[in-house]
Amino acid sequence: REEEVSSWKQVLAATVLEFAESELERHFGYLKLFVVDAEQQSDIGQISSDGLSHVASTFNAEWRAQISAINSSIIQSFSNFRTGTEILHAVLGQLIIYYTRFHSLFDKRFARRAGATAVCQPVGVQNVMVEIKKYRNNF
């Protein structure tokens, strides 16, 4: 019996992660794509500074509205409070992971060249985390 329960929990966790990734794709697909592509570069200098600035400016312009849209989407999709909250936390947790990776790439790329500056500075990771905490018990 325990093995069966464990198996179903693994299936549920995989399904939640898959759902989280698809929600992020809808709202932050440009961020996910950029991070995955940039991390495949063997040299940080090969990452486009224009691309980094474009992702930063796009994220800066819409991140709060997109987080709110994710929250609304999950509220509409899941009527069960516990399930909805767990899924919302998974989605927002994945967002923080991707954004932290982006921020790290951004910092490394512009720290590498002395005097190199970006057209647009990205929102700090802490600011995003503070906004996400507002949605913690909002479901």
Side-chain angles (χ1 to χ4, degrees):
R1 176 104 175 117
E2 281 185 40
E3 292 172 9
E4 187 177 342
V5 169
S6 176
S7 173
W8 281 110
K9 284 182 179 181
Q10 289 175 350
V11 169
L12 176 61
T15 304
V16 167
L17 182 59
E18 185 179 325
F19 180 85
E21 290 291 331
S22 76
E23 269 303 294
L24 284 180
E25 189 66 39
R26 285 181 45 215
H27 299 280
F28 294 100
Y30 63 92
L31 175 67
K32 282 181 58 179
L33 181 63
F34 186 85
V35 167
V36 170
D37 287 347
E39 287 178 339
Q40 292 177 2
Q41 301 296 325
S42 58
D43 178 20
I44 196 79
Q46 294 175 331
I47 298 172
S48 164
S49 58
D50 290 340
L52 282 162
S53 292
H54 176 72
V55 170
S57 65
T58 302
F59 188 88
N60 289 356
E62 60 186 37
W63 67 279
R64 281 191 175 102
Q66 291 300 325
I67 290 173
S68 180
I70 289 169
N71 182 59
S72 296
S73 172
I74 292 173
I75 286 173
Q76 291 172 359
S77 298
F78 300 94
S79 59
N80 181 287
F81 176 79
R82 191 172 132 225
T83 302
T85 300
E86 287 175 13
I87 291 171
L88 179 62
H89 290 183
V91 173
L92 297 178
Q94 283 298 106
L95 172 60
I96 285 295
I97 290 168
Y98 279 107
Y99 191 65
T100 301
R101 288 163 54 189
F102 168 76
H103 216 281
S104 176
L105 290 166
F106 188 94
D107 289 345
K108 287 177 187 173
R109 175 67 172 90
F110 288 107
R112 179 164 185 185
R113 293 188 309 178
T117 57
V119 175
C120 178
Q121 290 294 317
V123 173
V125 174
Q126 281 301 119
N127 293 346
V128 176
M129 291 176 78
V130 167
E131 186 71 19
I132 284 174
K133 284 182 182 180
K134 294 177 184 177
Y135 293 94
R136 202 168 216 182
N137 295 318
N138 204 22
F139 191 79

